[in-house]
Amino acid sequence: MKKNKKHPEFIYMVVSLTAFVFTAIIIIVFSHISGISDNISFETIAVMIFIGVLLIPAMIKAYAYSNLFKYDRNENNFNVSYVINKYKLTGWIKGKYTFLDAVSAACNGEHERGFELYVKCLGEVQDKRLRLACYKDMITNLSKMDNSLRLVPYIRKGCEEFPDETDLFEYVAQYLTWYPFANEKEALEWFDGVLEKTTSDRIKYRAHYYMGYTSLYRRDYESADRHFSEAYSLISAPPCYLLIDMAVCKACLGDYDMSRQYAVQAAALTDNHEDVEYIGEKLEYLFKTTTEAVNPETEKLINELKRRRDSKMEDSVQISDIEKYNAAVERAKQNSQ
């Protein structure tokens, strides 16, 4: 097992004591010299006192502070100054060195160790800058760790603390929106709560979009149309996936002119392979809309998409289940030690 390095703060704790001890030694030596010898000049004694009282403690303190930057470049693939400046972590902040150790471990590929240190940091610190830095850096450096779903419960808590932070919101939203086994009921409750707390238009847009297409698959077309319209109004350049879902919704409501209009916009904005795959199936159904009633072909599309979602929901996973998994992993680690 790799031996843990002493924390820089451990050295800081002994600096003042060391300075006191050196000062006491110099005073004792000075008193002794004054009592047994008159051959030493005042200038010599003054130099000795200066070195002992000032320079030696200063050198010790400089050594202590150098630990902040004293990371072996062969073992760590990050720059401490860059991290501090990136997250504006200047000055003394309790837990900052735990955070830096976490970044170091994560950048060095020790994802499990980094994960433990990020969690430890979040459990210790109150400073808002450092807490936000922990959440953001977990996303940056641990997204490729084995079973990165373990991050979701922590980042969700970060969203509660920082409701306007887009990076945190997007991480949880991506999980709830696209992960095949994310729990739909939990997702709807979370996005609804986000709308109440955030002031960010970007975040509101994403929340309305999710609630819109979920309502669409539930055949609640009026609710879906309302959420899609809110999302459309909050973004200057609507993406093709929003437009194609709006087209499907309008077709199901019998508004075929608007359906075609949104479908054409979606097709015009499709510029990569993934987008083509996403809207292709829906476009095939939409351009069969010819009747005055709700288009049965479009209803078939909704039925098929709902069937797929319902099939996945049978094995859905709540975020609380991930928290239980994290707790089980921690217990297993403790038992193996």
Side-chain angles (χ1 to χ4, degrees):
M1 182 179 293
K2 187 176 180 179
K3 186 178 179 180
N4 293 332
K5 296 180 181 179
K6 282 190 173 62
H7 222 278
E9 290 180 358
F10 173 80
I11 299 178
Y12 299 160
M13 293 171 61
V14 301
V15 169
S16 297
L17 180 61
T18 305
F20 173 78
V21 171
F22 269 93
T23 301
I25 292 173
I26 292 299
I27 292 173
I28 293 171
V29 172
F30 171 69
S31 299
H32 181 68
I33 291 175
S34 297
I36 66 174
S37 176
D38 295 326
N39 297 324
I40 301 177
S41 68
F42 174 79
E43 290 79 4
T44 302
I45 295 175
V47 170
M48 292 174 60
I49 293 174
F50 176 79
I51 293 174
V53 175
L54 179 62
L55 290 185
I56 294 176
M59 292 172 63
I60 294 173
K61 203 167 186 76
Y63 170 77
Y65 277 98
S66 72
N67 277 270
L68 174 61
F69 302 98
K70 192 178 180 181
Y71 287 90
D72 188 347
R73 297 299 182 184
N74 295 323
E75 295 182 0
N76 298 277
N77 301 311
F78 85 111
N79 183 285
V80 179
S81 299
Y82 172 79
V83 173
I84 290 174
N85 292 329
K86 177 182 179 181
Y87 296 115
K88 299 179 175 59
L89 300 178
T90 54
W92 185 87
I93 306 174
K94 179 182 178 181
K96 180 166 72 173
Y97 302 106
T98 301
F99 169 71
L100 292 175
D101 285 343
V103 180
S104 172
C107 289
N108 197 38
E110 300 175 28
H111 293 143
E112 190 62 34
R113 175 61 178 160
F115 178 77
E116 293 174 357
L117 289 169
Y118 283 119
V119 172
K120 179 182 178 182
C121 186
L122 288 170
E124 293 176 346
V125 306
Q126 300 298 322
D127 186 274
K128 289 293 185 181
R129 292 174 298 166
L130 186 51
R131 293 188 67 81
L132 181 58
C134 272
Y135 290 127
K136 286 191 170 185
D137 214 75
M138 288 175 81
I139 294 173
T140 300
N141 289 321
L142 295 182
S143 292
K144 294 183 179 180
M145 71 179 289
D146 293 338
N147 203 354
S148 60
L149 291 181
R150 294 170 63 193
L151 301 180
V152 175
Y154 295 98
I155 307 304
R156 184 178 65 170
K157 291 177 182 177
C159 291
E160 295 173 2
E161 291 184 50
F162 305 97
D164 292 333
E165 285 293 332
T166 305
D167 292 348
L168 306 187
F169 168 82
E170 286 292 346
Y171 189 86
V172 180
Q174 288 286 339
Y175 164 77
L176 292 174
T177 303
W178 305 118
Y179 182 66
F181 302 108
N183 185 272
E184 184 179 282
K185 181 177 181 294
E186 182 180 43
L188 283 172
E189 292 174 352
W190 187 76
F191 280 110
D192 191 45
V194 164
L195 287 172
E196 295 179 0
K197 296 177 182 178
T198 188
T199 60
S200 167
D201 285 347
R202 171 69 185 179
I203 293 176
K204 288 179 180 178
Y205 152 72
R206 293 279 278 115
H208 277 299
Y209 171 69
Y210 178 88
M211 298 180 78
Y213 87 75
T214 300
S215 297
L216 178 67
Y217 296 155
R218 291 182 168 187
R219 300 190 186 89
D220 186 356
Y221 303 127
E222 288 78 9
S223 176
D225 186 54
R226 183 172 66 255
H227 283 297
F228 285 147
S229 295
E230 287 286 347
Y232 188 87
S233 68
L234 289 167
I235 191 166
S236 58
C240 70
Y241 59 80
L242 170 61
L243 293 168
I244 195 63
D245 286 335
M246 292 181 75
V248 171
C249 184
K250 290 295 186 183
C252 291
L253 287 169
D255 190 348
Y256 302 121
D257 289 338
M258 288 301 298
S259 176
R260 289 190 180 90
Q261 181 177 324
Y262 286 129
V264 170
Q265 290 182 49
L269 290 174
T270 306
D271 57 1
N272 64 59
H273 181 69
E274 290 183 359
D275 288 344
V276 171
E277 287 188 346
Y278 183 82
I279 73 171
E281 183 179 11
K282 297 178 181 179
L283 285 172
E284 289 180 6
Y285 281 94
L286 281 172
F287 284 109
K288 296 176 183 177
T289 59
T290 56
T291 66
E292 293 296 325
V294 174
N295 185 355
E297 296 296 333
T298 306
E299 285 286 302
K300 285 182 181 179
L301 171 63
I302 297 299
N303 291 336
E304 172 60 17
L305 295 175
K306 186 176 186 304
R307 184 194 65 76
R308 296 176 191 176
R309 286 172 63 86
D310 289 344
S311 176
K312 293 174 181 177
M313 286 302 104
E314 292 177 2
D315 299 315
S316 66
V317 176
Q318 292 187 330
I319 294 179
S320 60
D321 296 327
I322 303 176
E323 291 177 324
K324 293 176 183 177
Y325 176 79
N326 284 339
V329 171
E330 292 304 315
R331 286 195 298 271
K333 289 179 183 177
Q334 293 174 2
N335 293 334
S336 65
Q337 292 177 351

